[in-house]
Amino acid sequence: MERGYEGATGGLVSLFEKPETLQEPTRGLSLPRRRLRLLLWVGVTLGVLAGAWAIGVHTWLVARLLSAYTGGMTFRMADGPNPRPATSAGGPYDQRLGYDQLPRTLERLEARGFRVAAQARVSDRFASARRLGFFPLYREKTQAGLQLLDGEGGVISPSLFPHLVYRDLDSVPPLVARTLLFLENRELLDAHDPHSNPAVEWDRFAAAVLNHAGGKLLGSDGRFGASTLATQLEKVRHSPGGVTTSPTEKVRQMGSATLRSYLHGPRTDQVRRQILVDYLNALPMGALPGYGEVIGLRDGLRTWFGLDPDSAEAAIRAVTPNTVSDEGAYAYRASLGLLLAQRRPSYYLLRKDGREALERLISAHLHVLANDSIIPDRLASLALRTQLVVLPHAPPPPDVPFVERKAVNSVRSHLLELLGVENLYQLDRLDLAVHATVDRATQRAVTSRIRDLGRREFVELVGLNQERLLGTGDPSKVSYSFVLYEVTLQGNAVRVQVDNLDRPFDLNSGARLELGSTAKLRTLVTYLELVAGLHRALTTSAPDSGSRTANDPITVWSREFIRRHPEAPLRTVLDSAMQRTYSGSPAETFLTGGGVHTFQNFDSKFDDDVIPVAEGFRHSVNLVFVRLMRDIVRYHEARLPPLESIVTADTAISSRQALLERYADNDGRLLVERFFKRHRGKSRDEMLADLAGGAPSAERLTRVLRAVVPAATERDLADLLHRQFPGDAFPPDEVARLYQGVTPSLILVERGLLARAHPLEVWVAAWLWNRPEATLQEIQRHAFQSRQEAHGWLLRPTSDLTRAQDRALKIAREREAFKPIHAAWQRLGYPYNDMVPSLGTAIGSSGDRPGALAELVGILLSEGVRRPVVRADRLHFAKDTPFETVMVLDYQPGTRVLPPEIAAVAREALADVVREGTAGVLRGALVGPDSSEIVIGGKTGTGNNQFKFFARNGRQTGARQVSRTATFTFFLGERFYGVATAYVDGEAAAEFEFTSGLPVRLVKLLLPE
């Protein structure tokens, strides 16, 4: 960092780095004018010296006057917001700690449900000093940063910057303190006057004024130097950019430093000691990529030179006139180097020529320091023979397991959005204490118990080594996630969040997992919403679209029920809807998701039964929910425009044709994506070989080349054949025969026939041939016409294709029907912008996130109200400063997204799963203080994710395991809910056959914690 107008701030610096501008002769001044300026310069000099003498003589009087004035500069906390809060100076210190952005931060928090509970009020004298231009006058913090606290105020995660500091003057090695004083402020610790002003050394100040005035009078660029450590502290902390930009800014620094020195009384001896310590802790030491700003001498020793500050300082303390170790000499040279480099750290420490200049500067100073007896000759001699090694990058931070950081990182990520901070680097440096909602004691207990599950002996002890639990698999390969929320007035507070996957990946909210039958809960709620909507429409004078004319099963049942029970309340209708029956038979085939599918029940005993929805949910019967989802799809299909209707009068395109075109485009998009993934990153020859079948003949390769590159020449073909068949000879006449035997076409379908490949694969290969760096988004953007052309057969109005078109239309209409289903799921917290338009979505094929699934349970527990997830409910900014502010989260009413009757019926269904269904092991597991049973409810689900391989006849020939997941989302009583997940990634999943019974047992195991 450049000093700007600082110039030479100490006795030594001017000897080695005197500004060139001071050495230039004055130019262009006539003799009379030069004499006039000389007289003015002499007058100014005498005036300054007289003032300096007067102030120096009357230090004790000045000290008492200043301390009396600053004694009224106070601040205090009071309830509620301050209509005239204090403002920061806007310097580097204020920016780093967030003081300068605090007004905007508070506005943002108020818009997100927080209110100011208390804020600092400054005294009139404090405010008047600010109006006069002084920096805010208070005792600044040496260290500050983000502190995460639990509900009882215990520290969960501290972040303090600088990381390493000197606590007091006794902790500073005397050699380092003497060196700093010699370089910058020799009179600072002078004990002869306990009232002296540490902001000004009057002799140096007078000389600097004369230097500046003389330079201006004589026409040269005089510098205004003579900074003391106190004024330099003001500069690096509070001046804009941390530099002195003008003499006025210099006076501002000196005045602020003077007043700050007398805040606590007329004596300054202890203040001066602290100034030296604060200066060493506040030195700007540049910045490293990937690490950020380096502040203070101790952090600088570790970051720039890789030294352990404690060891380095111990070696320096051990130096005596006759005893100097190599470690002590190197540590001293490094400390001296940082004291000098702080003037231009980016130059001296990051650039090669700067490091060479720094070495020369250090050596020169070592001679002077030894000559003036600041350091022993032996230390100077040994230090001169060493050379500093600047690290290319900062030492790695302590390795903290991801397991221990999951809850902390979730709070930090939440704070990024809440505060509008750009990144975690800035967040961690804010002077902010955050009261997180996590219960630290329970968090630790649950973390410990989940870690125990990785040990075989513990697994056997708690009986989890059974079939469909962990069996004989290696328990250390299973990862677990457990999150517990509590419904509060402020929102749904996260009390526990544990994830033992030692990777940045967050099982609860970090990826799309196949959570199996937990999707039945979303399907059930969607079904109940349709029934509730039909009840409202059929019992009022304003029916919804198609409710009286549609003949889908759900509408037909609702009309009949309302006809027979016209006065039935919604709860009665919903309870009856839970008793509608479906077959559990897996014998039926379903045209869904673009193909023909069959589904199986987990428990075959329900295969021959006709089962009510409630029982199907209780026992997680797949076929009941596949058929229920089919009815939901039919409900929405019944409300799509008829195929014969006209979309718009001016185009006269039937909806049948429009749906066919949309199907062609959607299907084409899927194909383009598949072919792009197949060929991206491959060379041209590799693409052609793949299209030709892997081990092609010359004739086949020729056809593929002419299809992909119709403009290819005979020479291109000859080169390709020589590369593909290096041992074979292809004379020109043979190449000509092959080339002329193929007639290329510019029509995409014909090119596909020529290559014996799908036309869109030929088109994607041709695009990558010319643009190998193209992205999928770019290709899809340019592929619309090709997608339509490749499906031209489907779009032709001919009776021969009616059957194929009808099949395509059924698929297209199913996709259209899934759009409102997807929207309904998203309204209830489904986290993705897409879902698989297949009946298999009812049993998990679209994937989910455990945290999002738990949010749905939270909505049901809150009577149908979606309330915000709360990870922090109290934010305490800038404690013990004039900017101190306490923000608390207010009551959050939330948004109603479901009628309370639907929430009640769904909760009852979840409780039924524990009472009589797949989570029965938890029945009676939780009792209240009065020994009454606390209701537990939940939904289980198992996801077994595999890549399956099939022969041409459709027979499965093999499978590759991708992952295995088991999930249980639950509620405990009226206030608590959460989700537990077990997960194995990769081929290790083949070792396990656990089902959702595993996370259910996990919840039971954790209940005592």
Side-chain angles (χ1 to χ4, degrees), residues 91-133:
Y93 179 88
D94 309 292
Q95 293 173 359
R96 183 173 68 251
L97 272 60
Y99 300 159
D100 64 325
Q101 294 291 324
L102 191 54
R104 283 183 287 274
T105 301
L106 300 185
E107 288 181 8
R108 183 182 179 90
L109 287 170
E110 287 175 339
R112 285 159 174 74
F114 284 79
R115 61 177 174 82
V116 176
Q119 196 166 22
R121 272 74 167 166
V122 299
S123 65
D124 292 339
R125 191 167 295 175
F126 185 105
S128 67
R130 285 291 288 131
R131 288 194 295 270
L132 290 172

Coordinates of all heavy atoms in Angstrom, one line a residue, residues 91-133:
G91 N -13.2 3.7 6.3 CA -11.9 3.3 5.9 C -11.8 1.7 5.9 O -12.9 1.1 6.0
P92 N -10.7 1.2 5.6 CA -10.5 -0.3 5.5 C -11.0 -1.0 6.7 O -11.7 -2.1 6.5 CB -9.0 -0.5 5.3 CG -8.6 0.8 4.7 CD -9.4 1.9 5.3
Y93 N -10.8 -0.5 7.9 CA -11.2 -1.2 9.1 C -12.7 -1.2 9.2 O -13.3 -2.2 9.5 CB -10.6 -0.4 10.3 CG -11.0 -0.9 11.7 CD1 -10.2 -1.9 12.3 CD2 -12.1 -0.4 12.3 CE1 -10.6 -2.3 13.6 CE2 -12.4 -0.8 13.6 CZ -11.6 -1.7 14.2 OH -12.0 -2.1 15.5
D94 N -13.4 -0.1 8.8 CA -14.8 0.0 8.9 C -15.5 -0.9 7.8 O -16.6 -1.4 8.0 CB -15.2 1.5 8.7 CG -14.5 2.4 9.6 OD1 -14.7 2.3 10.8 OD2 -13.6 3.2 9.1
Q95 N -14.8 -1.0 6.7 CA -15.4 -1.8 5.6 C -15.3 -3.3 6.0 O -16.2 -4.0 5.8 CB -14.6 -1.5 4.3 CG -14.9 -0.1 3.7 CD -14.0 0.2 2.5 OE1 -13.2 -0.7 2.1 NE2 -14.2 1.3 2.0
R96 N -14.1 -3.7 6.5 CA -13.9 -5.1 6.8 C -14.9 -5.6 7.9 O -15.4 -6.7 7.8 CB -12.5 -5.3 7.3 CG -12.1 -6.8 7.5 CD -10.6 -7.0 7.8 NE -10.2 -6.4 9.0 CZ -9.4 -5.3 9.1 NH1 -9.0 -4.7 8.0 NH2 -9.1 -4.8 10.3
L97 N -15.1 -4.8 8.9 CA -16.0 -5.2 10.0 C -17.4 -4.9 9.7 O -18.3 -5.3 10.5 CB -15.6 -4.5 11.3 CG -14.5 -5.2 12.1 CD1 -13.2 -5.3 11.3 CD2 -14.2 -4.4 13.4
G98 N -17.8 -4.3 8.5 CA -19.1 -4.1 8.1 C -19.8 -2.9 8.7 O -21.0 -2.7 8.5
Y99 N -19.0 -2.0 9.3 CA -19.6 -0.8 9.9 C -20.2 0.2 8.8 O -21.2 0.8 9.0 CB -18.6 0.0 10.8 CG -18.1 -0.8 11.9 CD1 -16.9 -0.5 12.5 CD2 -18.8 -1.9 12.4 CE1 -16.4 -1.2 13.6 CE2 -18.2 -2.6 13.5 CZ -17.0 -2.3 14.1 OH -16.5 -3.0 15.1
D100 N -19.5 0.3 7.7 CA -19.9 1.2 6.7 C -21.2 0.8 6.0 O -22.0 1.6 5.5 CB -18.8 1.4 5.6 CG -18.5 0.2 4.9 OD1 -18.5 -0.9 5.4 OD2 -18.1 0.3 3.7
Q101 N -21.4 -0.6 5.9 CA -22.6 -1.1 5.3 C -23.8 -1.3 6.2 O -24.8 -1.8 5.8 CB -22.3 -2.4 4.5 CG -21.3 -2.3 3.4 CD -22.0 -1.5 2.2 OE1 -23.2 -1.7 1.9 NE2 -21.2 -0.7 1.5
L102 N -23.6 -1.0 7.5 CA -24.6 -1.4 8.5 C -25.9 -0.8 8.3 O -26.9 -1.5 8.4 CB -24.0 -1.0 9.9 CG -24.8 -1.6 11.1 CD1 -25.0 -3.1 11.0 CD2 -24.2 -1.2 12.4
P103 N -26.1 0.5 7.9 CA -27.4 1.0 7.6 C -28.2 0.3 6.6 O -29.4 -0.1 6.8 CB -27.1 2.5 7.2 CG -25.8 2.8 7.8 CD -25.0 1.6 7.8
R104 N -27.5 -0.1 5.5 CA -28.2 -0.9 4.4 C -28.5 -2.3 4.9 O -29.5 -2.8 4.5 CB -27.3 -0.9 3.2 CG -27.3 0.4 2.4 CD -26.5 0.3 1.1 NE -25.1 0.3 1.4 CZ -24.4 1.5 1.5 NH1 -24.9 2.6 1.4 NH2 -23.1 1.4 1.8
T105 N -27.6 -2.8 5.7 CA -27.8 -4.2 6.2 C -29.0 -4.2 7.1 O -29.8 -5.2 7.0 CB -26.6 -4.7 7.0 OG1 -25.4 -4.7 6.1 CG2 -26.8 -6.1 7.5
L106 N -29.2 -3.2 7.9 CA -30.4 -3.2 8.8 C -31.6 -3.0 8.1 O -32.7 -3.7 8.4 CB -30.2 -2.0 9.8 CG -29.0 -2.1 10.8 CD1 -29.0 -1.0 11.8 CD2 -28.9 -3.4 11.5
E107 N -31.6 -2.2 7.0 CA -32.8 -2.1 6.1 C -33.2 -3.4 5.5 O -34.4 -3.8 5.5 CB -32.6 -1.1 5.0 CG -32.5 0.4 5.5 CD -32.3 1.3 4.4 OE1 -32.3 0.9 3.2 OE2 -32.0 2.5 4.6
R108 N -32.2 -4.2 5.1 CA -32.4 -5.5 4.4 C -33.0 -6.5 5.5 O -34.0 -7.2 5.1 CB -31.1 -6.0 3.9 CG -31.3 -7.3 3.1 CD -29.9 -7.8 2.7 NE -30.0 -9.1 2.0 CZ -30.2 -9.3 0.7 NH1 -30.3 -8.2 -0.1 NH2 -30.3 -10.5 0.1
L109 N -32.5 -6.4 6.7 CA -33.0 -7.4 7.7 C -34.4 -7.0 8.1 O -35.3 -7.9 8.3 CB -32.1 -7.3 8.9 CG -30.7 -8.0 8.8 CD1 -29.8 -7.7 9.9 CD2 -30.9 -9.5 8.6
E110 N -34.7 -5.7 8.2 CA -36.1 -5.3 8.5 C -37.1 -5.8 7.4 O -38.2 -6.2 7.8 CB -36.2 -3.8 8.7 CG -35.5 -3.3 10.0 CD -35.5 -1.8 10.1 OE1 -35.6 -1.1 9.0 OE2 -35.3 -1.3 11.2
A111 N -36.7 -5.8 6.2 CA -37.5 -6.3 5.1 C -37.7 -7.8 5.2 O -38.6 -8.4 4.5 CB -36.9 -5.9 3.8
R112 N -36.9 -8.5 6.0 CA -37.0 -9.9 6.1 C -37.4 -10.4 7.5 O -37.1 -11.5 7.9 CB -35.6 -10.6 5.8 CG -35.3 -10.6 4.3 CD -33.8 -10.7 4.0 NE -33.6 -10.8 2.5 CZ -33.8 -9.8 1.7 NH1 -34.1 -8.6 2.1 NH2 -33.6 -10.0 0.4
G113 N -38.1 -9.5 8.2 CA -38.8 -9.9 9.4 C -38.1 -9.6 10.7 O -38.6 -9.9 11.7
F114 N -36.9 -8.9 10.6 CA -36.2 -8.6 11.8 C -36.6 -7.2 12.2 O -37.0 -6.3 11.4 CB -34.7 -8.7 11.6 CG -34.1 -10.1 11.6 CD1 -34.2 -10.9 10.5 CD2 -33.5 -10.6 12.7 CE1 -33.7 -12.1 10.5 CE2 -33.0 -11.9 12.7 CZ -33.1 -12.7 11.6
R115 N -36.4 -6.9 13.5 CA -36.6 -5.5 14.0 C -35.4 -5.1 14.9 O -34.7 -6.0 15.5 CB -37.9 -5.4 14.8 CG -38.0 -6.3 16.0 CD -39.3 -6.1 16.8 NE -39.4 -7.0 17.9 CZ -38.8 -6.9 19.1 NH1 -38.1 -5.8 19.3 NH2 -39.0 -7.8 20.0
V116 N -35.2 -3.8 15.1 CA -34.1 -3.4 15.9 C -34.6 -3.4 17.4 O -35.5 -2.7 17.8 CB -33.7 -1.9 15.6 CG1 -32.7 -1.4 16.6 CG2 -33.2 -1.9 14.1
A117 N -34.0 -4.3 18.2 CA -34.4 -4.4 19.6 C -33.6 -3.4 20.4 O -34.2 -2.9 21.4 CB -34.1 -5.8 20.1
A118 N -32.4 -3.1 20.1 CA -31.6 -2.1 20.8 C -30.5 -1.5 19.9 O -30.1 -2.2 19.0 CB -31.0 -2.7 22.1
Q119 N -30.1 -0.3 20.2 CA -29.1 0.3 19.3 C -28.4 1.4 20.1 O -28.9 2.0 21.1 CB -29.8 1.0 18.1 CG -28.8 1.3 17.0 CD -29.5 1.6 15.7 OE1 -30.7 2.0 15.6 NE2 -28.8 1.5 14.5
A120 N -27.1 1.6 19.8 CA -26.3 2.6 20.5 C -26.7 4.0 20.2 O -27.2 4.3 19.1 CB -24.8 2.4 20.1
R121 N -26.6 4.8 21.3 CA -26.8 6.3 21.2 C -25.5 7.0 21.6 O -24.9 6.6 22.6 CB -27.9 6.7 22.2 CG -29.4 6.7 21.6 CD -29.9 5.3 21.5 NE -31.4 5.4 21.3 CZ -32.1 4.3 21.0 NH1 -31.5 3.2 20.8 NH2 -33.4 4.4 20.8
V122 N -25.1 7.9 20.7 CA -23.9 8.6 21.0 C -24.2 10.0 21.7 O -25.3 10.5 21.5 CB -23.0 8.9 19.8 CG1 -22.6 7.5 19.1 CG2 -23.8 9.7 18.7
S123 N -23.2 10.4 22.5 CA -23.4 11.7 23.2 C -23.4 12.9 22.2 O -22.9 12.7 21.0 CB -22.4 11.9 24.2 OG -21.1 12.0 23.6
D124 N -23.9 14.0 22.6 CA -23.8 15.2 21.7 C -22.4 15.6 21.4 O -22.1 16.0 20.2 CB -24.5 16.4 22.4 CG -26.0 16.2 22.6 OD1 -26.6 15.3 21.8 OD2 -26.6 16.8 23.4
R125 N -21.5 15.4 22.3 CA -20.1 15.8 22.0 C -19.5 14.8 21.0 O -18.7 15.2 20.2 CB -19.3 15.8 23.3 CG -17.9 16.5 23.2 CD -17.2 16.8 24.5 NE -18.0 17.8 25.2 CZ -17.7 18.2 26.5 NH1 -16.7 17.6 27.1 NH2 -18.4 19.1 27.1
F126 N -19.8 13.6 21.2 CA -19.3 12.6 20.2 C -19.8 13.0 18.8 O -19.1 13.0 17.8 CB -19.9 11.2 20.6 CG -19.4 10.1 19.7 CD1 -18.4 9.2 20.2 CD2 -19.8 9.9 18.4 CE1 -17.9 8.1 19.4 CE2 -19.4 8.8 17.6 CZ -18.4 8.0 18.1
A127 N -21.1 13.3 18.7 CA -21.7 13.7 17.4 C -21.1 15.0 16.9 O -20.8 15.1 15.7 CB -23.2 13.8 17.5
S128 N -20.8 15.9 17.7 CA -20.2 17.2 17.3 C -18.8 17.0 16.7 O -18.4 17.6 15.8 CB -20.2 18.2 18.4 OG -19.3 17.8 19.4
A129 N -18.1 16.1 17.4 CA -16.7 15.8 16.9 C -16.8 15.1 15.5 O -15.9 15.4 14.6 CB -16.0 14.8 17.9
R130 N -17.8 14.3 15.3 CA -18.0 13.7 13.9 C -18.3 14.8 12.9 O -17.8 14.8 11.8 CB -19.1 12.7 13.9 CG -18.7 11.4 14.6 CD -17.6 10.6 13.8 NE -18.2 10.0 12.5 CZ -17.7 10.1 11.3 NH1 -16.6 10.8 11.2 NH2 -18.3 9.6 10.3
R131 N -19.1 15.8 13.3 CA -19.5 16.8 12.4 C -18.3 17.7 12.1 O -18.2 18.3 11.0 CB -20.6 17.7 13.0 CG -22.0 17.0 13.0 CD -23.1 17.9 13.3 NE -23.0 18.5 14.6 CZ -23.6 18.0 15.7 NH1 -24.3 16.8 15.6 NH2 -23.5 18.5 16.9
L132 N -17.4 17.8 13.0 CA -16.1 18.6 12.8 C -15.2 17.9 11.9 O -14.2 18.4 11.4 CB -15.5 18.9 14.1 CG -16.2 19.9 15.0 CD1 -15.5 20.0 16.4 CD2 -16.2 21.3 14.3
G133 N -15.5 16.6 11.6 CA -14.6 15.8 10.6 C -13.7 14.8 11.2 O -13.0 14.1 10.5

